[in-house]
Every structure is written in structure tokens, then in C-alpha cells.
Amino acid sequence: MTQVTEHGGGVWSIKVPIPDNPLGHTLVHVLDTDRGPVLIDTGWDDPEAWDTLVAGLTAVGVDITDIHGVVITHHHPDHHGLSGQVRESSGAWIAMHAADTAIVRRTRESEPGTWLAYLTAKLTAVGAPEDHLAPLRAARATGRMRTLPGLRAALPDREIVPGELLDLAGRRLRAVWTPGHTPGHVCLHLEEDHPANLPGHGRLFSGDHLLPGISPHIGLYEDPDDATATDPLGDYLDSLERIGRLGVAEVLPAHQHAFPDATGRVQELLDHHEERLTGLLALLATPLTPWQLAERMEWNRPWEQIPHGSRNIAVSEAEAHVRRLVKLGRAEVVTGSTPVTYIAV
């Protein structure tokens, strides 16, 4: 299977594998500029991923040492993982939105057990059973946290400022802040004529914000030092509408494949989340904890088959949806409930 696709107009994508992940790969985009090639995302920090990235660049006539800059859509390890190695090889700068750079910095500076302690307390508060909490406590006690991805991710040295053009010689690439999947997720609008003259306004590097066949994970913004009641799902829905208004000719996402009709896909995702919120309201006819709600929600497999770590992600997504319902006045916390329970109103 070919790892490289030419999209025209000085843009290519390279399929960089993600180890042991059903997504399969990250699409790392290469953008030619007058000062040298720039990468949009880099892929997972893994030897096979690195070799694939280097080979893909070679296939389009680029040496890894020639990379001028790295633009990161968001901090997740399948996007930012290889940034440090690219910088070591080429001297490239790395740009990221300030909100996600703060997460990278906090993760690097935190004691390894901090995250597990935070996660254990949070899951206890939302009703996780003891058999789910026990492995987290054991992991903290044995120091296994040190092996998780992202602990030594590269610190970006440039800030992506929403609404501004990036400093790319000969190209017009504008940052569009699209929080939801992460607090600092950005899409990148290439404000240039489509090379195949497709109707619309340029192309969009959409990261994980807008994907052709799947909905990105929208969970809580996790910060052990911040008790602010954020609304990630509300942020995501607002960001979707903002992207829909751009009217781009083609979307170049970080997973799956390029596709036209961003506006149609945006509407599908808005409808999907409205249907999901309506379904959760029906479940909340009786009081439920976020854990109980997650057990009853529809996932891509039965709850009994969802692995331990993926259950944490599922519960975070349940919490994000409940938080949206509370903000809309469609659900509320049951006063005095421990663990916390919610009910429709």
C-alpha cells in the first residue's frame, strides 16, 4: 500500500502508522514553502512511524534535514509525538496553540504519579467501581506511569495565534481555533485556489476536528490544577459551525482520507451530537452517575468488551455531554449525591 498521496499545489500526505490503534495511521501533511518544506503534524513517537515518515519524505524529494517548520494541530501523541525528533534532525521550529502548549509543559513538569492520582479521584467521584480503580492505584504504586506517551513531548517554540496567517513564505495558511477535541486544537485554512479548481474557498487541514467517517472524541479538558467547569462539547459544536461557514473546497484531515463538502459533514456531526444528547436525556429520566450513563450509552462495542483505558475515555465523553445538558438547562445535579448523579429536567 502506498504511503504517499500527492494533493497538488505543493501538498502531500504521508500515512504514518500508529502502533496498536484501530485508527491505523496519522496523515502527516507536507506543505512546500519558499523557505523549505513544512510538516503539519508528525505522527506517533515510534521507530516504525519515524522510518515511514522519513521514507515518505524521501518519496516526495525531501530529506528530513530539510524540514523548515512543524505546525501541530493539537498536542495528542499521534500528532505531536515525532516533533522533537524532527527538530533534532533538521533544526525546524515547532508551532502550537498556547492552550495545548500549556498541556505539553504541564505534562513534562508534573510528577509521574500526579495524573494517576487525579484520574483515580475523578473516577471515584463519578461512580467508577472499585475493580476499575484498583489497577490505577497499582500503576501509581509501581511507577508504570513513566512509560506512557507524552511525558517528554517536545516543547513548541512558536505560538499559533487564531485568525492570523502563519509565517510561511509564499503560502497563505491561516489558523482557525477549533477547541473541543482539545482546548487548543486548530484547523489550518490554506487560502489559495484549489489545484483542481474545485468550487469553494481553498483547502482545510482539519486535524481531528473534522473527519469524513468518524466523530472525534469529545471529553473533558483534563487539568489537575484547574477546577473550572469547562464545556468541551459546546466548544466543539461552536467550532464546527465556524468551520462550516468557511466554505472550503476540500478537507485534508489527519485520519482516513481527504474529502469535499465540509459543510455537509459539519451538519452530519451537529445532527449526531444533538441525537446523542436527546438519547442521554431519555436515559436520565432516572438519576445516574456519569459511570452508569457511560455503561448505557452506545459505543462501537458492548461495554463489557471495552478495555480499561478506553472506559476512562468513554466516561470522560459521557461527562462532557452531561455538562452540555446542564449548561443548556436540560439536566441538573442531584443535590447531595455522592458519587455525583444527574437527572433530566
Side-chain angles (χ1 to χ4, degrees):
M1 181 184 295
T2 179
Q3 301 298 320
V4 176
T5 300
E6 183 173 1
H7 297 280
V11 178
W12 299 262
S13 62
I14 303 170
K15 288 184 177 180
V16 176
I18 311 172
D20 303 318
N21 190 296
L23 277 175
H25 60 264
T26 301
L27 291 172
V28 173
H29 289 92
V30 186
L31 178 65
D32 196 19
T33 81
D34 290 349
R35 294 196 192 104
V38 168
L39 299 183
I40 298 175
D41 293 331
T42 59
W44 193 279
D45 185 3
D46 174 79
E48 182 187 356
W50 174 256
D51 290 345
T52 302
L53 176 62
V54 171
L57 289 170
T58 300
V60 301
V62 172
D63 192 279
I64 189 68
T65 60
D66 297 330
I67 298 300
H68 172 60
V70 177
V71 182
I72 300 297
T73 60
H74 62 296
H75 73 86
H76 287 163
D78 56 323
H79 298 258
H80 182 44
L82 286 172
S83 300
Q85 199 165 345
V86 171
R87 182 163 62 189
E88 289 170 8
S89 299
S90 64
W93 46 261
I94 302 173
M96 184 183 286
H97 186 283
D100 273 21
T101 295
I103 294 172
V104 173
R105 181 175 289 107
R106 183 177 70 240
T107 302
R108 288 169 56 96
E109 294 174 354
S110 295
E111 288 297 319
T114 300
W115 170 252
L116 284 173
Y118 164 73
L119 185 60
T120 302
K122 195 172 78 68
L123 286 167
T124 300
V126 298
E130 180 55 37
D131 63 350
H132 184 84
L133 299 171
L136 297 173
R137 297 194 180 102
R140 187 182 182 199
T142 59
R144 273 188 288 148
M145 187 68 185
R146 296 179 188 278
T147 65
L148 294 183
L151 293 181
R152 299 303 300 171
L155 267 177
D157 44 70
R158 290 193 182 184
E159 180 179 343
I160 297 175
V161 180
E164 291 191 2
L165 289 170
L166 278 75
D167 182 19
L168 303 181
R171 308 307 298 243
R172 287 186 59 84
L173 189 67
R174 191 177 303 277
V176 184
W177 184 34
T178 51
H181 185 56
T182 72
H185 192 290
V186 293
C187 293
L188 301 150
H189 187 195
L190 190 59
E191 299 177 339
E192 302 170 12
D193 291 340
H194 191 281
N197 296 315
L198 293 182
H201 305 291
R203 292 181 280 180
L204 185 77
F205 299 100
S206 66
D208 282 1
H209 182 71
L210 194 62
L211 303 170
I214 55 178
S215 175
H217 166 67
I218 308 296
L220 297 188
Y221 301 145
E222 308 288 9
D223 183 350
D225 301 320
D226 188 358
T228 304
T230 55
D231 180 19
L233 182 55
D235 291 344
Y236 179 66
L237 298 176
D238 290 345
S239 299
L240 276 178
E241 293 183 347
R242 187 158 58 251
I243 288 301
R245 289 192 292 270
L246 292 177
V248 298
E250 187 177 26
V251 180
L252 302 174
H255 303 288
Q256 299 189 300
H257 54 82
F259 63 99
D261 192 18
T263 303
R265 182 59 181 146
V266 163
Q267 191 58 54
E268 288 176 359
L269 288 165
L270 291 172
D271 292 344
H272 162 76
H273 283 287
E274 183 57 37
E275 290 171 8
R276 189 150 217 194
L277 289 170
T278 300
L280 296 190
L281 275 177
L283 292 173
L284 290 173
T286 55
L288 294 174
T289 67
W291 184 274
Q292 292 168 331
L293 191 60
E295 289 179 316
R296 291 159 174 78
M297 290 169 67
E298 290 189 13
W299 305 104
N300 60 4
R301 68 189 95 174
W303 182 258
E304 297 74 23
Q305 297 176 18
I306 296 178
H308 184 278
S310 297
R311 289 188 180 190
N312 297 337
I313 295 170
V315 172
S316 182
E317 187 150 330
E319 287 184 89
H321 280 75
V322 169
R323 194 169 283 187
R324 183 69 185 152
L325 289 171
V326 170
K327 187 165 185 178
L328 293 171
R330 298 161 75 181
E332 65 183 13
V333 174
V334 176
T335 303
S337 56
T338 305
V340 64
T341 60
Y342 294 84
I343 191 166
V345 294

